Amino acid sequence: MARRQEIEDSNRKMREDRERRAVENILSAYLENPIMLLNQPQEEASASIARICITLGFEQSFLLDRELRHRIAEIGYFLDLAGADGVVEYSLSEVGFLSRSETRMLMGAWSRGEDLPDSIEGWKEIRASRPQIEACWQEKLRNAGSRVVIPPLSVY
């Protein structure tokens, strides 16, 4: 029985360590791939957001906190759509900039053991407009001849 507990404790520690690395990697992705609101070439912003999106998509899988994992997956989802001009009313740089602030806020609360706060201004509006964003994106795909249906975010 003691051996079983030791194994469970070891596995829990490994998952927690991997979660901590995931948070570090997510925050590092924003530091290593700057997104500026002004005076950044579109190609540079697009490349930064693509790299951040890849990191978020991979690392969110290791977040043990369900709500945090969902919120980070949602950020990656919007960044992915923004990279294809799918977030109407916001530029790629605006979505990237807001996502960075939202991510920092979430990760800070998580690291302090606090409840995850409501979204920041701007990001809150993007989240609220998700149904419209998804409908516009789906229509754009149909108009381009694609039969792909975007899965609901809840599957992540």
Side-chain angles (χ1 to χ4, degrees):
M1 196 57 124
R3 176 73 179 134
R4 177 185 228 157
Q5 185 63 46
E6 186 179 310
I7 291 170
E8 288 176 9
D9 290 345
S10 175
N11 287 341
R12 183 175 38 258
K13 184 178 179 343
M14 285 176 20
R15 284 190 306 275
E16 290 170 352
D17 288 347
R18 182 59 185 98
E19 179 182 44
R20 226 177 337 278
R21 275 199 327 276
V23 168
E24 290 168 1
N25 291 340
I26 288 169
L27 291 172
S28 291
Y30 280 99
L31 291 173
E32 295 164 5
N33 299 287
I35 303 164
M36 295 177 271
L37 281 174
L38 302 172
N39 303 323
Q40 183 177 29
Q42 180 72 18
E43 304 80 37
E44 193 178 299
S46 184
S48 286
I49 287 175
R51 288 188 294 269
I52 291 166
C53 194
I54 289 167
T55 300
L56 294 179
F58 180 74
E59 296 294 348
Q60 61 86 22
S61 300
F62 298 102
L63 299 174
L64 302 176
D65 182 288
R66 181 179 173 86
E67 184 182 359
L68 179 61
R69 184 174 56 252
H70 182 77
R71 299 269 298 267
I72 295 300
E74 182 181 59
I75 290 168
Y77 180 76
F78 283 124
L79 286 174
D80 193 26
L81 289 174
D85 297 325
V87 180
V88 292
E89 298 185 24
Y90 289 88
S91 72
L92 178 65
S93 294
E94 289 171 325
V95 174
F97 184 84
L98 290 169
S99 78
R100 179 180 64 208
S101 297
E102 179 79 356
T103 300
R104 284 179 174 164
M105 179 196 64
L106 292 172
M107 296 304 183
W110 174 85
S111 69
R112 292 184 299 273
E114 298 172 357
D115 290 339
L116 298 182
D118 291 336
S119 290
I120 62 168
E121 280 307 310
W123 195 257
K124 186 183 303 182
E125 288 72 23
I126 290 173
R127 291 181 78 202
S129 63
R130 189 171 92 204
Q132 297 91 328
I133 290 169
E134 289 172 335
C136 288
W137 182 241
Q138 196 64 62
E139 182 178 340
K140 188 176 184 177
L141 290 175
R142 269 194 308 278
N143 291 344
S146 177
R147 295 183 306 244
V148 171
V149 175
I150 305 299
L153 187 57
S154 62
V155 301
Y156 301 104

